[in-house]
Amino acid sequence: MRWRSGDRSNVEDLRGRRGMRGAAAPLGLGGILLVAALSYFTGTDFFSILGDVSNSVPTGDTSGELATSPEEERMVDFVDAVASDTQETWARLLGPRYERTVVTLFRDEVRSACGAADSATGPFYCPGDRKVYLDLGFFSELSQRFGAPGDFAQAYVIAHEFGHHVQNLLGASDRVREDPAPGANSASVALELQADCYAGIWGHDASQQGRFGAGGVELEPGDADEALQAAAAIGDDRLQRMGSGRVAPERFTHGSSAQRMEWFRRGMSTGDPAQCDTFARIQ
Ligand SMILES: [Zn+2]
C-alpha cells in the first residue's frame, strides 16, 4: 500500500488513558449482544470482562506519560490515513447521509457507550457513540496468531468496522438488534458479511491507479491477497476449529472463511454497495 501521513483528525487517541475500569455505564443485554455482534470476532472472554469491569472500583482518570515507539506512531498515522480514505469513499457514495466519525485508539481497556471492553474483544464498532475502537496490539495478533500479515490486511479490518458505521447510519444494524440469535442464516452473519463487502467497496476505490499522486491511499500488486487472507483467517469455521476443534454452524456470527472472502471480493470487484445485499442472499 502507498499512503502518506495526515493530520490525525480521523483518530481519537486514548492510548495514554489509564483507570478506565469501573467507569463503565451499565450495559443492557441488547447492548452486550450488539457489541458482541459488531466486534471483529466474538471472543467468549468478552462477557466475563464486562462483569469484571462493572464490579471493580473506580480509579479515576489518571493520564500518564505515553510509552510509544516510532513504529507505533507510524501505525497511528496509518490508521488515520486508511480511516480518512475510507470515509472519503463513503462520503462520495452516500453524500449528506454519511457522517464522519473517528477510530478511538486504546491500550488494554476502554470505555465506550456500549460498555467497557478490552483488547481481547478485538476491534469493534459501537453504534451508541458511532465510533470504531481499536487496540493497535490487534495487528500483531492478526499477523502472528491468525496468520494474516500485511498492511492491507490491517486496512481491511479498519474498513470492515467503517462498514458497520455505514450500516448504523443506514439502519441495517437494527436488524440484528431485532433478531440477535446466531447461526449460519442469522441476521448477525448477514450484517458481518455486508461489512466485509463494504470493506471491499473501499478496496475497489483504493485499487484505482493514480490515487497516491492525488493524495489518497493506493494499493499495490498483491495487496488484495492480504485482505482475502485476513478474511479467511477469521471466518467462524476457522476460529471454531482453532478453539474447540469442532465447527458448529448454529453458533456462527460472522460467516465462514469462504463467505467472508466471497463478499469482500464482491465489493472489491464491483465497487457498488447495491451488490452487498447479504440480507437477501443469506437469510
Ligand atoms: Zn464486524
Side-chain angles (χ1 to χ4, degrees):
M1 282 176 67
R2 302 181 71 197
W3 58 275
R4 45 171 74 84
S5 303
D7 61 2
R8 295 194 175 182
S9 61
N10 297 271
V11 298
E12 174 186 44
D13 194 353
L14 299 187
R15 287 175 300 158
R17 212 56 88 76
R18 284 286 178 269
M20 303 300 281
R21 290 198 164 237
L27 189 67
L29 184 61
I32 292 173
L33 290 168
L34 203 58
V35 177
L38 299 184
S39 67
Y40 190 63
F41 48 76
T42 308
T44 47
D45 292 346
F46 190 35
F47 296 95
S48 57
I49 289 155
L50 288 169
D52 178 33
V53 171
S54 56
N55 290 334
S56 58
V57 180
T59 53
D61 187 12
T62 50
S63 301
E65 194 76 3
L66 178 68
T68 182
S69 64
E71 292 75 25
E72 185 170 326
E73 291 311 301
R74 186 166 164 76
M75 192 65 78
V76 174
D77 286 328
F78 173 78
V79 172
D80 179 57
V82 170
S84 169
D85 211 75
T86 307
Q87 299 207 86
E88 271 162 38
T89 288
W90 288 108
R92 179 177 60 75
L93 290 169
L94 299 182
R97 282 183 298 169
Y98 187 74
E99 291 170 27
R100 293 186 74 92
T101 186
V102 291
V103 178
T104 298
L105 298 172
F106 69 96
R107 270 198 201 151
D108 304 330
E109 57 195 8
V110 72
R111 177 169 52 105
S112 76
C114 298
D118 82 357
S119 309
T121 311
F124 68 98
Y125 174 74
C126 173
D129 54 27
R130 303 187 165 185
K131 290 178 187 173
V132 173
Y133 288 84
L134 173 70
D135 183 327
L136 291 170
F138 176 75
F139 288 147
S140 41
E141 208 178 347
L142 185 65
S143 166
Q144 287 155 25
R145 182 167 159 220
F146 297 104
D151 51 8
F152 193 53
Q154 298 165 354
Y156 152 70
V157 171
I158 298 164
H160 171 99
E161 297 305 335
F162 275 96
H164 284 314
H165 178 54
V166 169
Q167 291 173 320
N168 192 31
L169 294 176
L170 299 182
S173 313
D174 296 340
R175 301 175 75 153
V176 174
R177 212 165 315 178
E178 288 156 13
D179 181 16
N185 298 316
S186 64
S188 170
V189 166
L191 193 78
E192 292 298 334
L193 293 176
Q194 188 174 60
D196 284 335
C197 190
Y198 284 173
I201 297 288
W202 171 70
H204 178 87
D205 261 12
S207 63
Q208 308 303 312
Q209 288 192 354
R211 290 182 101 250
F212 181 71
V217 173
E218 185 173 334
L219 300 192
E220 295 170 297
D223 279 342
D225 292 337
E226 291 176 1
L228 287 168
Q229 202 174 335
I234 37 70
D236 284 326
D237 48 347
R238 166 114 197 278
L239 293 182
Q240 288 177 345
R241 231 175 258 123
M242 281 173 78
S244 65
R246 197 177 75 84
V247 177
E250 70 277 9
R251 292 209 309 272
F252 276 12
T253 53
H254 286 61
S256 68
S257 297
Q259 285 176 310
R260 298 198 74 163
M261 291 171 74
E262 180 199 331
W263 284 99
F264 175 81
R265 204 183 270 126
R266 192 187 297 252
M268 182 125 179
S269 61
T270 64
D272 176 12
Q275 302 301 315
C276 298
D277 190 0
T278 53
F279 288 92
R281 297 289 200 95
I282 304 299
Q283 294 189 286

